[in-house]
Amino acid sequence: MSGVPHLQELHDKFNSKGFELVAVSSEDAGKIQSGLIDAKKVTYGVVRADISGTYETRGIPHSWVLDAEGKCIYKGHPSGVTAEKVAEWVANLAPTTVDKELHKDLKGAVKSFEKGEMGKSQAEISKAVEGTEDEAVKADAEYLQGLIKKHIDLYEAKMAKAEESGDLVTLGKTLTEASAAFKGSELGDKWAGELKELEKSDEYKDTVKAQDELDKIKDKLEDMRPSSARSKLEKIAEKYPNTPAGKEAAELAKRYPD
Amino acid sequence: MTKLSYAFVALVACLFAGTVSAGVEVGDQGPNFSFDKSWNTPEGFTDLDAYRGKIVMVERWATW
């Protein structure tokens, strides 16, 4: 438990910027309460859960850092999660809370923003600044718009990257998420339209189906007979030869020779 | 060795292989899990998926 001060420091510095700690123990709740919560007065997130089946059991303490999409971006000793690293990770996040008190006319807009309803928030900002001469409202409206802009930029960057690498699964997911967040705005409509077009294309349909089928068997390959694993992978590769998952299946199949 | 002990060795080998391949590596999707009990977590958060959109550090620890 010598790592507690380090973790507390990370929490204090970065929690308001979108960094969350989930310290997991499978010990008795009473032991966690007395040994960590009471004795060390930690304020970061602590949970009782048994994750030994999914996140490996060997070596305690051990840590994993997941990004906004739930993908693992670090695995190792907690001391390796430095303030520099966390600063870099949270810089890529779009803010989900407003970290200062804004003018009361923007209360609704702030609420919508924190709920992730960006389109609604934008409409409420426009309404609040309409015809106002109050400079404080204008300045705060601009600040909130800046936070929303960060979401737009991140969505657009993600879409551009997915398009460039031909990752249609990510493109579809991002368009779905973005059009929902900006529902009711021009931009939201534009993204919804793009999603509709994408969903119509055969290439997209195949890509999603191939990924689904591969995901379904991927974790079970090790438990299958090699010949069975190979034939299942080859089937996906044959059915969807031009999709990323199809190509991955073809590669994986090579691991299970006759 | 008897057939039985061969079977035993095979079983142990399987178990060992299972342990090695298990776990979450960089690039993997972090599996969800629900909390039996929680302290200092945001209101209404009962599992790991609730943290999507944030950077979340899962730390395995013990009082010993």
Side-chain angles (χ1 to χ4, degrees), chain B residues 2-35:
Chain B
T2 64
K3 264 187 191 161
L4 199 64
S5 51
Y6 276 120
F8 180 72
V9 168
L11 180 70
V12 170
C14 282
L15 286 175
F16 185 68
T19 330
V20 169
S21 68
V24 178
E25 300 293 332
V26 170
D28 289 352
Q29 198 65 24
N32 188 32
F33 59 88
S34 23
F35 311 152

Side-chain angles (χ1 to χ4, degrees), chain A residues 203 207 237 239-244 246-247:
Chain A
E203 192 191 354
T207 301
K239 213 163 142 192
Y240 312 102
N242 297 319
T243 66
K247 284 173 192 156

Side-chain angles (χ1 to χ4, degrees), chain A residues 7 18 20 22-24 27 33 42-44 46-48 51 55 61-66 68-70 72 75, chain B residues 23-25 27-31 33 36-40 48 52-64:
Chain A
L7 297 177
E20 294 277 353
V22 176
V24 189
E27 293 175 286
Q33 176 77 43
V42 304
T43 59
Y44 55 78
V46 179
V47 308
R48 205 209 88 88
I51 57 169
Y55 293 75
H62 201 80
S63 61
W64 298 260
V65 178
L66 310 183
E69 280 82 49
C72 180
K75 172 186 185 291
Chain B
V24 178
E25 300 293 332
D28 289 352
Q29 198 65 24
F33 59 88
D36 299 339
K37 194 171 164 55
S38 58
W39 296 261
N40 308 329
L48 197 69
R52 285 289 161 81
K54 293 174 181 289
I55 298 291
V56 54
M57 176 177 179
V58 176
E59 193 235 358
R60 275 180 57 84
W61 68 280
T63 49
W64 34 266

Side-chain angles (χ1 to χ4, degrees), chain A residues 102-140:
Chain A
L102 299 191
H103 193 281
K104 64 170 172 42
D105 286 2
L106 291 161
K107 218 172 156 185
V110 169
K111 213 170 161 189
S112 299
F113 174 83
E114 292 190 335
K115 271 167 54 189
E117 296 168 352
M118 302 297 156
K120 200 174 163 201
S121 183
Q122 280 180 319
E124 285 162 331
I125 295 172
S126 306
K127 219 171 156 191
V129 293
E130 219 176 42
T132 187
E133 293 300 321
D134 193 336
E135 290 302 320
V137 178
K138 282 186 196 166
D140 282 354

